[in-house]
Amino acid sequence: MSILRRALLPALLAGLSLSSHAAVVNVDVGTPLPRFELLKPGTHHYLRYIKTADGASSPIDIWTREVRFDERGGKRQLHVVQRWDGVVPGPSVRRFDSWFDALTFRPLTHERISEKDGKRTVEGFVFAPDRISGMPDLPENTQKDLSMASNEPTFNFETDIELLQTLALAEGYDARINFYHPGGKAAPQRYSFKVTGSETIAGPAGPVDCWVVRTDYNQPGSVSTFWFAKGSQLMVRQQGALPDGRVLVKTLID
């Protein structure tokens, strides 16, 4: 029996090591994030474009994302500002203004202003532990009557790239994150973001060694892939197939 135990022990330990290495991690709102220090103030730009089956590429917009740490109400808070300058099907601008607890990434408020063809649409949201509501005092808020219940606190889906940057990405890491897209009809729910390997891809200044992260957004068969630079964990690229077979790409350009 002792010989058998000695023979089986290495395999058992290897199995336990693999199991712990690939463990599912629930990322809960309000808890410290393991690599929050990687989220540094600064601005990055992405080009969004469509690739067709014949290899043609068509630009959609330039996507600017800025991370700040600002004072609001006497408190230091995380502040993410976005701007989308669109070219297809015509000129358009969208501006996002999102505030968070500076230590845990817990969302506080989110504002979205869209301008196209002379029309301006204002949307504003307040995140609470049990629901997301329309911002009551925001002028022209078209989402003032929103009240979306949540059975647990949720992260803001429109800042998923910055949140994923703060996680302990490693081979086999599988994060389950409760997200809500502000104003969306779908209730908050947990999504899986799993590190499936490593790959070196082209970046703005040369090759970048990346973690490859995949999710199906709870729609089996509809996979979206992210490439996060090892070290900084900044997103370098994201792409996903559209229902018509084309591919939507977001790529870092600075």
Side-chain angles (χ1 to χ4, degrees):
M1 290 298 292
S2 61
I3 295 174
L4 179 60
R5 283 197 296 269
R6 286 198 298 271
L8 290 177
L9 184 59
L12 177 60
L13 292 176
L16 289 173
S17 175
L18 179 61
S19 175
S20 61
H21 190 55
V24 173
V25 176
N26 283 328
V27 180
D28 297 322
V29 176
T31 59
L33 297 166
R35 295 180 183 165
F36 191 85
E37 73 280 357
L38 295 179
L39 191 63
K40 301 181 185 300
T43 303
H44 296 283
H45 299 85
Y46 294 85
L47 170 65
R48 293 202 318 151
Y49 64 95
I50 296 289
K51 288 177 61 177
T52 59
D54 61 3
S57 298
S58 301
I60 301 174
D61 53 32
I62 298 293
W63 184 25
T64 304
R65 304 180 75 103
E66 181 181 4
V67 173
R68 306 174 184 171
F69 287 89
D70 293 333
E71 294 286 329
R72 188 173 73 155
K75 295 182 179 180
R76 180 177 181 268
Q77 295 181 345
L78 170 61
H79 189 192
V80 178
V81 179
Q82 302 179 51
R83 179 184 171 108
W84 307 57
D85 290 284
V87 295
V88 176
S92 64
V93 177
R94 290 192 292 166
R95 301 179 183 88
F96 300 169
D97 192 81
S98 311
W99 291 84
F100 308 83
D101 176 76
L103 298 177
T104 64
F105 221 125
R106 177 175 61 87
L108 302 171
T109 61
H110 181 77
E111 296 179 35
R112 182 169 57 226
I113 298 176
S114 306
E115 298 180 40
K116 184 177 181 180
D117 298 331
K119 182 181 179 181
R120 184 173 185 268
T121 302
V122 177
E123 301 169 274
F125 311 88
V126 177
F127 283 75
D130 63 342
R131 70 183 54 252
I132 303 90
S133 305
M135 193 178 293
D137 301 324
L138 179 65
E140 305 177 63
N141 185 9
T142 59
Q143 296 280 358
K144 189 171 295 186
D145 296 329
L146 176 78
S147 181
M148 173 63 72
S150 181
N151 59 9
E152 62 175 320
T154 181
F155 287 105
N156 180 350
F157 226 152
E158 295 206 291
T159 53
D160 57 338
I161 291 173
E162 288 81 12
L163 177 65
L164 292 169
Q165 187 180 359
T166 70
L167 304 183
L169 302 182
E171 186 68 41
Y173 179 82
D174 187 356
R176 304 296 170 90
I177 309 171
N178 194 40
F179 272 127
Y180 173 67
H181 188 280
K185 294 182 179 179
Q189 56 185 299
R190 293 241 176 201
Y191 298 84
S192 170
F193 291 83
K194 186 172 182 178
V195 177
T196 59
S198 301
E199 187 177 353
T200 298
I201 65 170
V208 183
D209 188 17
C210 296
W211 293 117
V212 180
V213 178
R214 289 192 170 92
T215 183
D216 65 0
Y217 293 113
N218 296 343
Q219 299 177 7
S222 178
V223 176
S224 186
T225 304
F226 302 77
W227 287 263
F228 289 93
K230 292 182 180 179
S232 69
Q233 295 194 172
L234 180 69
M235 191 187 85
V236 179
R237 183 182 177 93
Q238 179 189 359
Q239 69 180 46
L242 299 173
D244 60 6
R246 298 180 300 163
V247 177
L248 173 61
V249 181
K250 306 169 187 177
T251 187
L252 183 68
I253 58 176
D254 65 359

